Amino acid sequence: MATVDSTHKLGNPVYPVMFAIGVCHLFNDSLQAVIPAMFPVLAKEIGLTFTQLGLISFVLNIVASLLQPVVGFISDKKPMPYALPIGMTSSFIGMLGLAFAPEYWIILVSVIFLGFGSAVFHPEGSRVSYMAAGSKRGLSQSIYQVGGNSGQALAPLISAFILVPFGQRGAALFLVVAAVGIFILSKISAWYKKQLEEEKLSKTKKVLLSSLPSLTKKQVVIALTLLMVIIFARSFYVTNMTNFYIFHLMENYGFTIQKGQLFIFIFLALGAVGTFFGGPMADRMGRKNVILLSVAVPIPLSLILPYVPIWVVVILLTLIGFFIMLSFSVTVVYAQELVPSKIGTMAGLTVGLAFGMGAIGAVVIGILMDHLGVYTTMIIVSVLPIIGLVALALPKDRKIALQG
């Protein structure tokens, strides 16, 4: 098998666009992060049950998860450059409603707008990341996804330093974030449109060079199913840590909301770091190897997490956060290479499934905590990463530079 110049085949990376779409992903997901950040405040001030809090997360994530593959499928057939600022405008409306909602049902309507904005942003943002990647597909997807995970990591800080002091109205500060995002995405959309016009004029279409061997349709379906199971286990576990682990810290370690949120921030911040390193590592050592590393390392750590003293909790949160998110961008690229003709659909399916599993997980965990208690629920959730070992059955890939 001859070595080929992947840079020549794939083109040069467009770094300004890669970083700009990553920053907008940070903006988008920081808006989403306001929702779980409000949970301790809503539970304390309004007296919402864990089940009601879970339903808020369910509405947000189920809208995003159901619509993302639809948006991706439509844009695969007819790209929509200006869908990006339109999606961020929907998030702006949702945040406006969330900040000033006087009743529970208005909060639910507001998160529908936020969910729709996220559903539009993610597959189209991933497409822009791919178009700008050139020969650095893993790096580009990591920059894009680390932007989103960094936005999610801000949730505990948003809660501790904005929502606890200022209450629900503090969410209005994020209208500025949404407005800046609309402006930047308008510029990115202009570049996106220009790229499409150049492809049309040259009558060529960029083809995704896959790192996977030739697979039958049945093998592709099986591989995608395994990938979905891995995403299920990861998303369910991360949802627990993001939305509900704070209550474990408050109940079993006597933490205040602010102190507990700082521990959640450690988990999410290291998750963002893991997301960044996952893509470049996959470019060097293969997608499957990174996915296996990501699912195997957290298993023993998560199993002992509910039982350890607080000083060990810090160490475990750091390691679990880093490794469990190492495969976040890699699973997206792996799915795209399984079905290289459906870039947007695969991005929407994988990231959308992550939202969907998070939605279901939030409701299930909320119900478990209401009926079984916080501590018992943490023990049950600690076994979830074991499911990820189905990654052993994924088809083995190879570095793109060896394709020929």
Side-chain angles (χ1 to χ4, degrees), residues 55-92:
L55 284 172
I56 292 173
S57 183
F58 176 81
V59 171
L60 171 70
N61 291 319
I62 205 68
V63 171
S65 66
L66 290 177
L67 290 181
Q68 277 193 53
V70 175
V71 172
F73 179 78
I74 293 172
S75 63
D76 277 333
K77 292 185 174 295
K78 184 175 177 59
M80 303 176 290
Y82 287 96
L84 286 165
I86 291 172
M88 188 64 75
T89 301
S90 177
S91 294
F92 182 96

Side-chain angles (χ1 to χ4, degrees), residues 28-29 32 64 68 87 91 113-123 355:
N28 180 84
D29 282 27
Q32 312 298 308
Q68 277 193 53
S91 294
F113 279 95
L114 283 162
F116 177 78
S118 183
V120 172
F121 177 85
H122 281 98
F355 276 94

Side-chain angles (χ1 to χ4, degrees), residues 137-211:
R137 192 179 305 129
L139 174 62
S140 183
Q141 191 63 221
S142 279
I143 291 172
Y144 173 67
Q145 297 295 354
V146 80
N149 288 347
S150 297
Q152 294 169 22
L154 292 175
L157 302 185
I158 292 169
S159 177
F161 299 111
I162 297 178
L163 297 178
V164 170
F166 299 105
Q168 182 181 348
R169 297 288 175 89
L173 292 172
F174 291 89
L175 293 173
V176 177
V177 174
V180 175
I182 292 169
F183 174 78
I184 297 175
L185 288 172
S186 297
K187 300 294 183 182
I188 292 175
S189 293
W191 175 86
Y192 182 175
K193 183 179 180 181
K194 184 178 179 181
Q195 293 298 111
L196 293 175
E197 290 173 348
E198 288 178 357
E199 285 184 15
K200 187 175 181 180
L201 286 173
S202 62
K203 296 182 179 179
T204 60
K205 190 174 182 179
K206 292 182 180 178
V207 178
L208 177 60
L209 183 59
S210 178
S211 67

Side-chain angles (χ1 to χ4, degrees), residues 77 322 380:
K77 292 185 174 295
F322 178 85
I380 293 171

